[in-house]
Amino acid sequence: MSGSAVVLGWGLGLALVLLMLIAAGFALALHSGLSRQVLVAAARAVVQLAAVSSVIVAVARSLWLSALFVLVMFAVAAWTSARRVSRAGGASVVWLPIAAGTVPVLAVVLGCGAVPLTGIAIVPVAGIVIGGTMTATSLAGRRALDELGTRYGEYEAGLSLGLLERDAAMEICRPAATQALVPPLDQTRTVGLVTLPGAFVGVLIGSGDAMQAGAAQLLVLIGLLAAEVIAVLCTVELVARGRIRRPAAELAAPKRPTRPKPPRPPGRRRVLAWRR
């Protein structure tokens, strides 16, 4: 087994271009309007990873620089999730679920000594956990707000029955928001049987020790699951309390469609006048 699973060269560049075109082409065939976003996301990934790869070695040598790099990742994750969830003023608190899920997990894995207190170990683990909580927060927030907007009449009915605003909103948005936990649950259940995730493959390729690779992947998966559960719970609570919201116009009860008036027969007056 070689030291790397990817061969650097023209073949890698050609494969990336072809994969980008395939993704954009199928997105175009889907008529989803996402073909341009697919190309932009892929191009950004290339540029960002190239930039990160050039500085990660220097950053990982210093614990303080690694901590600063983790804070930058956290800020970008919070900004991205806030744009995905809502563009209203309340979206600025989206960083709370991400922090609530990330901090306890990192504290446990570092405090127990499962991950060494070095930059080269902290940066990738923190990046995985922050990325997972960002995705969970975005999905839970969007699903909760969509459900609350669609079933706004039920929300008002709950208020009329005497429920508090938080409780009425929680009854509606909680079931939909918890659907954000389906991907991490499925990934954890099927690990090793369906997929071999990145942490396992990376350690296996780097060291060749299957037991160490399995231990690393197990730590990442369970830590990620814990972080995402906390993030979803915090997101639902913020939505129910109105801290994460959308403009009032989007949450208003949909208006009933008005029936169009039947059109008048064309030329009726002229026909009557002609008969006269």
Side-chain angles (χ1 to χ4, degrees), residues 20-270:
M20 290 170 57
L21 293 178
I22 290 173
F26 277 91
L28 185 62
L30 188 61
H31 300 287
S32 60
L34 297 177
S35 56
R36 181 177 179 274
Q37 296 186 30
V38 169
L39 291 175
V40 171
R44 285 187 57 176
V46 172
V47 174
Q48 290 166 186
L49 282 179
V52 169
S53 300
S54 62
V55 300
I56 192 66
V57 176
V59 168
R61 292 175 182 173
S62 171
L63 187 59
W64 294 107
L65 289 178
S66 299
L68 180 61
F69 191 77
V70 170
L71 290 177
V72 172
M73 289 192 294
F74 174 80
V76 174
W79 178 77
T80 303
S81 186
R83 286 174 56 85
R84 285 295 183 187
V85 172
S86 173
R87 296 177 182 271
S92 59
V93 299
V94 168
W95 65 270
L96 281 173
I98 300 177
T102 302
V103 172
V105 172
L106 293 183
V108 169
V109 298
L110 293 175
C112 294
V115 174
L117 197 61
T118 59
I120 196 63
I122 293 175
V123 170
V125 172
I128 293 173
V129 176
I130 292 174
T133 54
M134 176 191 69
T135 303
T137 300
S138 299
L139 290 176
R142 288 175 65 91
R143 291 297 301 272
L145 291 173
D146 289 343
E147 195 75 3
L148 194 59
T150 303
R151 302 169 57 187
Y152 195 75
E154 298 179 35
Y155 168 74
E156 292 183 330
L159 295 179
S160 65
L161 293 176
L163 293 178
L164 299 176
E165 293 183 359
R166 181 259 181 195
D167 297 334
M170 187 69 74
E171 290 296 326
I172 294 174
C173 63
R174 180 193 296 157
T178 53
Q179 295 299 313
L181 295 175
V182 171
L185 283 172
D186 288 345
Q187 186 180 19
T188 305
R189 288 170 180 158
T190 61
V191 62
L193 299 177
V194 178
T195 59
L196 295 177
F200 181 89
V201 176
V203 176
L204 187 62
I205 292 174
S207 63
D209 189 346
M211 294 301 295
Q212 187 177 7
Q217 185 59 64
L218 190 61
L219 180 66
V220 168
L221 276 179
I222 297 180
L224 192 57
L225 183 60
E228 293 185 0
V229 170
I230 297 173
V232 170
L233 175 63
C234 187
T235 302
V236 174
E237 188 69 30
L238 290 173
V239 171
R241 293 180 179 275
R243 299 297 304 277
I244 297 177
R245 62 188 185 276
R246 284 178 179 167
E250 297 183 15
L251 295 179
K255 298 181 179 179
R256 295 180 180 179
T258 57
R259 295 182 180 180
K261 296 180 179 180
R264 295 181 178 179
R268 182 176 178 82
R269 293 182 178 179
R270 294 181 181 180

